[in-house]
Amino acid sequence: MESTTEGTAEAIAPAAHVGYRAVLRHPVAGRLVAVKAVSEVGDFVGLAALLLLGYQQTGSLLGAAAVYTARALPAILVATLLGGWLDVLPRRATLVVLAIVGAGALALPALLPAASTALIASAVLGAARAAYVALTTAVVAEAVEQPVQLPYFGAAALINMLAQVGGIAVGSGLTVALGPRVALLVDLVSFLVAAAMLATLPGEERRERRDRLPPGAGFVLIWRQPTMRVLALLTWATLICSVLPETVATNAPNGWIPAAMASSALGGAVFAGVMGRLRFLERPLNQTRTAALLGAGLLAGAVVLFTGAHPLLLVTANVVIGAATGWTVGAQATFARLSPPGRMGQIEATMIASNLFLEGVGVLVLTGIAVAAGSDGAAYLVGGVLVLVAALAAERPLRTIG
C-alpha cells in the first residue's frame, strides 16, 4: 500500500486558476459534465417521487427519511467489500453498466408503486451511485489536469444543484398531480441516455495494472493523511444534515412543498456557480469557515420552525443551508489533489458510501428527534449544533497543518 504521509508544501499548493470554459473544452471533463447534466435532472425527479411515495404510503416523515436510509447499507458495502475493485475494473465500461443498473432499479417502483418498492429501488441506487461517483472522480483525478479539477468540481456541483432545483420541483409536482409513475419513468430514461453518452467517453490510456486493495482500505488511506482526515470528519458531520431541508419539506403546507424542497438546492447552485471558479475554496480553512455558516443556517431554520413563522422564512433559511453546504466542493478537489496516484476510486468510494450511510442514518435519527419533540425545529437545532462543533474542531488542526 502506498505511503500517505502528509505531503510537502508543493504537493498541497493550489494549482493555477482556470475557469469553466477550460472544463467544457476538455475532452474528458466536458463529456462528464454533459452526462451529469442529463442524468442528474432525472435523478432528482425520481428522488422527489420516491420521497413522496414513502411519505404518502406511511403518512409520516419517517417514511420519507427511510428512502434515504435504504441507500445507506448497500452504499457502505460498496466502499468496504467491493471498493477494492473500483481501481481495477475498466472505467468506461463499468460506468455504462452502472447507469443501466440504475435504470433497472427504477423499473420496479414505476411498475408497482409502493413503499416497499421505493425502498428496494433506493437501496440499489445507493450502491450504484456510490460506485458511479467514485469512478467518475477517479477518471477526473487521472485524466483531467490539476488546474481544471477545481472548476470541474465546481461545475459538477452547480449542475447538481440546478438539477436538484428543477428536478425536485418537477418531480414533486408530477407526483402530486399524476402519481409517481411518470416521474420515475423520466428518471429511468435519463439513466439510459447517460449510458449511451458514457459509451462515447474518450478511451482510457493504457493503465498500469493495480492490485485490488483489501476491504476498508479507503478509510485507512484517508486516516493516514492529516488534511484528508480532518476534512472527512467535517464532511461526515455535514452529510448527516444535508438532506434535512428536503425531508422536512414533505411536511410543509401543500402549496409550499416544491419551493421548500428545492430552496436548499437553489442556494447551493448560486454558491457553486460563483465559488467553483474562484480560488476561495482551495484553502481548507476557508472550507471550514463556510461549514460554520451551514451550522448557523440550520440554527436559523430551527428558530423559524419552532416559532411557526411564515414558510417563506424556512425557504430563505434553506437557501443559506444549501449555499453553505457547497464547501464540500473544495474538499472534493483537495481529496483529488492529495490522494495517492491510482487510488482515487477507492478513496472516493469510501467517502461517497460513508456519506450516503451517514446521510441516510442521520436524517432518520434527526427526523426521529423531530417526531419525539413534536417539532421539526428540533431536527434543525441538533444538526446545527453538530455542524458548528465539527467546524470549530477542524479549525485548529488545519491551522497546524498549514
Side-chain angles (χ1 to χ4, degrees):
M1 186 181 298
E2 295 92 344
S3 171
T4 54
T5 55
E6 182 180 0
T8 63
E10 290 78 14
I12 64 174
H17 175 65
V18 297
Y20 288 144
R21 288 185 180 181
V23 175
L24 298 177
R25 292 171 179 170
H26 194 281
V28 174
R31 179 57 53 87
L32 291 176
V33 163
V35 172
K36 194 172 188 70
V38 170
S39 65
E40 294 221 347
V41 171
D43 285 349
F44 287 109
V45 169
L47 176 61
L50 291 174
L51 284 172
L52 287 171
L53 183 58
Y55 177 75
Q56 291 167 355
Q57 292 287 316
T58 62
S60 171
L61 275 181
L62 293 175
V67 170
Y68 280 114
T69 307
R71 303 187 299 176
L73 182 58
I76 206 71
L77 288 176
V78 167
T80 53
L81 299 182
L82 303 178
W85 288 101
L86 295 178
D87 287 317
V88 177
L89 296 172
R91 307 288 197 212
R92 181 175 60 185
T94 308
L95 286 170
V96 171
V97 170
L98 288 170
I100 294 173
V101 168
L106 288 162
L108 182 60
L111 293 172
L112 300 169
S116 58
T117 55
L119 294 178
I120 292 170
S122 185
V124 175
L125 290 171
R129 178 172 175 77
Y132 179 89
V133 176
L135 284 173
T136 300
T137 306
V139 170
V140 173
E142 294 171 2
V144 177
E145 297 76 13
Q146 186 173 315
V148 184
Q149 289 177 6
L150 180 61
Y152 166 81
F153 290 123
L158 174 60
I159 290 170
N160 176 272
M161 294 301 175
L162 289 175
Q164 194 168 342
V165 173
I168 286 180
V170 171
S172 58
L174 285 174
T175 302
V176 170
L178 303 174
R181 279 196 174 95
V182 174
L184 292 170
L185 287 173
V186 169
D187 193 7
L188 188 156
V189 170
S190 75
F191 269 108
L192 295 178
V193 173
M197 295 174 70
L198 287 166
T200 64
L201 193 69
E204 302 174 77
E205 295 180 3
R206 187 177 184 84
R207 294 192 301 135
E208 176 187 351
R209 180 177 175 80
R210 297 193 177 275
D211 295 331
R212 181 168 61 90
L213 296 180
F219 290 102
V220 176
L221 292 171
I222 291 168
W223 203 256
R224 287 182 175 178
Q225 213 295 329
T227 300
M228 288 200 295
R229 178 171 66 243
V230 173
L231 292 179
L233 291 171
L234 183 55
T235 299
W236 292 332
T238 297
L239 267 292
I240 287 173
C241 313
S242 65
V243 297
L244 195 57
E246 292 81 7
T247 305
V248 170
T250 61
N251 199 28
N254 280 340
W256 286 91
I257 287 177
M261 290 187 80
S263 53
S264 175
L266 176 62
V270 173
F271 182 87
V274 174
M275 292 300 181
R277 60 189 302 274
L278 302 178
R279 302 187 67 165
F280 177 80
L281 288 178
E282 288 179 346
R283 293 191 64 210
L285 280 173
N286 288 339
Q287 297 166 25
T288 64
R289 290 162 186 167
T290 308
L293 179 61
L294 166 62
L298 285 164
L299 293 180
V303 172
V304 171
L305 290 166
F306 276 129
T307 59
H310 194 280
L312 180 60
L313 293 177
L314 178 61
V315 169
T316 303
N318 284 348
V319 168
V320 175
I321 291 167
T325 303
W327 79 267
T328 55
V329 172
Q332 196 171 23
T334 301
F335 270 59
R337 187 171 68 245
L338 298 179
S339 295
R343 296 305 188 190
M344 191 61 205
Q346 174 84 65
I347 289 175
E348 184 68 5
T350 299
M351 288 304 299
I352 292 298
S354 58
N355 289 351
L356 288 173
F357 178 80
L358 291 171
E359 188 178 79
V361 173
V363 74
L364 189 64
V365 171
L366 292 175
T367 53
I369 291 171
V371 170
S375 172
D376 295 343
Y380 274 62
L381 175 62
V382 173
V385 171
L386 172 66
V387 173
L388 274 177
V389 169
L392 292 174
E395 185 89 3
R396 183 174 180 179
L398 288 177
R399 283 183 180 277
T400 303
I401 293 168

